Amino acid sequence: MKQKNVREYQRAECIVLRKTGASYRTIGTILGISRASVQRALERFEEIGSYQDRHRCGRPKKINGQNGHILKDLTQDSVSRSSACKAMMQLNESLEKSICRRTFINYLEECNFEYEVKIKKPCLNKKHKEARLQWCSEHLNWTVDDWKQVLFSHESTFYIIESSSGEFIRHIEDEKTKQCSMWVNGRGESLRVGFWGIITWKGTGCCAIYRENINSDVYCDILDNYLVPTIHINSMEHNFIFQHDNASFCRSKQTQAKLRELNARVLKWPIKSPDLNPIEHLFSIINSRLRTRKILSLKELIDNLSSEWSSIPSQLCENLVFSMPQRIQ
């Protein structure tokens, strides 16, 4: 609803009629304004002793308090949250004078709205949520000393060209389909590598970089050649707990037999819970650093992955492992 402005002469008439003993409603009926407007005019006269407009400094705002509530209601809609133009057009339907997109965004910032990328979350059903809650309840009383025994592992995939947005280029119509005007999508089988890493509270362990699709055979080789050396380097032969997720090759009979052969105590892990695994944070850091570099070959990708993994400070790994009680909370 648009708020009707009460002019100065109407305020003066309100004062005169009130002195004759007329009620707020009667005054509003005579002047064609609302009872609330009459009340505001009289309260204003008692406050400042004048019926004239206050002196304004600068241009009056196009969005008043009432329209501000409309603005907040609009941004509760998922479409309006992602599109400032659509929310602006809806708001302009309630305004006497329309506003531009930049003005709309300024008002959103005044209302403490931030424009950021959506946080990714796993697709969890009721069963997944119950399993996560049960796991956290079972490990709620674990202390930092308990988490010091855990070796956290995970695997990921890194690409030569990670960006999917492409890049802009100026060209004429005839050059549109030429090689120089095209953006090559790098997400191909020949332009990616698999990466497996492991960390303890003392720092990063060994890492494996592989080209083939990971299966039970590949995973057992990784356990032999990279898990075992990490255990020896950290002197944890007789007191360690191994963590990995619920991938099919992690749950296979061949992998279970290999872990029994290594006398490894395995930490039961809830399904779809990457947010609980501290090593995920390191993968995010490495991926961000690789995005800033121009990597054109698999050798460069492998070299950069190895150097980034080895350059991660031990203090960061300690902080991540020690954050497990807070993650569970």
Side-chain angles (χ1 to χ4, degrees):
M1 181 183 294
K2 299 178 182 178
Q3 180 177 336
K4 186 175 181 180
N5 294 324
V6 180
R7 301 184 180 279
E8 291 184 2
Y9 72 88
Q10 289 176 321
R11 299 193 196 106
E13 289 176 332
C14 289
I15 298 167
V16 173
L17 291 172
R18 184 60 176 170
K19 289 182 178 180
T20 64
S23 65
Y24 290 172
R25 191 174 300 278
T26 302
I27 297 173
T29 303
I30 295 172
L31 301 180
I33 60 178
S34 66
R35 179 188 178 281
S37 297
V38 175
Q39 183 177 353
R40 283 196 300 270
L42 295 172
E43 290 176 352
R44 179 195 187 117
F45 179 76
E46 293 178 0
E47 179 185 348
I48 64 175
S50 174
Y51 56 83
Q52 297 177 343
D53 290 330
R54 291 188 178 94
H55 176 69
R56 297 182 182 272
C57 53
R59 177 187 295 181
K61 291 189 175 182
K62 291 186 177 181
I63 300 181
N64 53 32
Q66 184 176 3
N67 290 323
H69 291 298
I70 298 175
L71 184 147
K72 290 185 178 181
D73 292 340
L74 285 173
T75 51
Q76 301 307 310
D77 176 46
S78 59
V79 177
S80 300
R81 280 184 179 271
S82 59
S83 174
C85 290
K86 292 182 179 180
M88 176 199 67
M89 289 188 290
Q90 295 181 53
L91 180 63
N92 282 337
E93 294 176 359
S94 64
L95 299 177
E96 292 182 358
K97 294 183 179 180
S98 61
I99 61 174
C100 65
R101 179 176 175 273
R102 182 66 259 175
T103 301
F104 179 78
I105 292 175
N106 290 340
Y107 278 107
L108 285 179
E109 292 175 352
E110 290 181 8
C111 295
N112 297 322
F113 281 94
E114 296 180 357
Y115 193 67
E116 295 180 344
V117 178
K118 286 185 177 180
I119 298 175
K120 292 183 179 180
K121 66 178 291 294
C123 181
L124 302 175
N125 58 31
K126 183 178 180 181
K127 183 179 179 181
H128 296 150
K129 294 177 182 179
E130 291 176 349
R132 283 164 57 91
L133 180 60
Q134 181 181 354
W135 186 89
C136 289
S137 299
E138 293 172 355
H139 297 83
L140 187 62
N141 296 323
W142 276 37
T143 64
V144 169
D145 289 333
D146 294 322
W147 292 112
K148 282 183 177 181
Q149 304 176 37
V150 181
L151 291 88
F152 293 93
S153 71
H154 196 53
E155 64 284 336
S156 185
T157 304
F158 292 90
Y159 296 84
I160 290 181
I161 303 176
E162 183 67 26
S163 174
S164 59
S165 60
E167 55 183 302
F168 292 93
I169 186 173
R170 291 185 175 89
H171 60 81
I172 60 177
E173 185 64 25
D174 294 340
E175 296 176 337
K176 187 174 182 179
T177 57
K178 289 187 177 180
Q179 185 69 25
C180 62
S181 299
M182 292 183 178
W183 177 74
V184 180
N185 184 2
R187 288 183 176 273
E189 290 295 320
S190 62
L191 299 175
R192 66 162 177 85
V193 295
F195 183 91
W196 180 92
I198 187 167
I199 66 169
T200 69
W201 71 278
K202 296 180 181 179
T204 56
C206 300
C207 68
I209 301 176
Y210 47 90
R211 293 288 312 282
E212 64 270 33
N213 291 327
I214 191 168
N215 53 30
S216 297
D217 291 331
V218 176
Y219 191 58
C220 288
D221 288 339
I222 289 174
L223 296 179
D224 274 330
N225 299 318
Y226 300 96
L227 171 60
V228 173
T230 300
I231 295 172
H232 292 316
I233 291 172
N234 292 278
S235 303
M236 301 175 69
E237 293 88 344
H238 307 291
N239 189 25
F240 76 92
I241 302 173
F242 179 59
Q243 179 276 334
H244 61 178
D245 57 23
N246 294 279
S248 58
F249 54 83
C250 295
R251 294 181 285 105
S252 68
K253 293 181 179 179
Q254 182 179 349
T255 300
Q256 298 304 314
K258 173 60 66 175
L259 292 172
R260 286 193 296 270
E261 178 186 330
L262 299 176
N263 296 320
R265 286 189 296 161
V266 179
L267 179 65
K268 182 182 177 182
W269 199 251
I271 299 175
K272 292 190 176 182
S273 299
D275 53 320
L276 290 173
N277 195 344
I279 199 174
E280 288 279 358
H281 188 79
L282 298 184
F283 287 168
S284 177
I285 292 175
I286 292 175
N287 193 44
S288 298
R289 292 176 179 175
L290 293 181
R291 284 174 180 269
T292 63
R293 303 178 185 178
K294 188 174 183 180
I295 300 175
L296 302 176
S297 67
L298 283 174
K299 184 179 184 305
E300 291 180 1
L301 178 60
I302 294 172
D303 292 343
N304 278 273
L305 276 172
S306 300
S307 62
E308 287 296 341
W309 182 255
S310 60
S311 65
I312 292 174
S314 59
Q315 183 63 46
L316 176 57
C317 295
E318 179 181 317
N319 293 339
L320 290 173
V321 173
F322 288 3
S323 71
M324 284 303 298
Q326 287 76 26
R327 293 171 186 263
I328 290 175
Q329 287 285 353

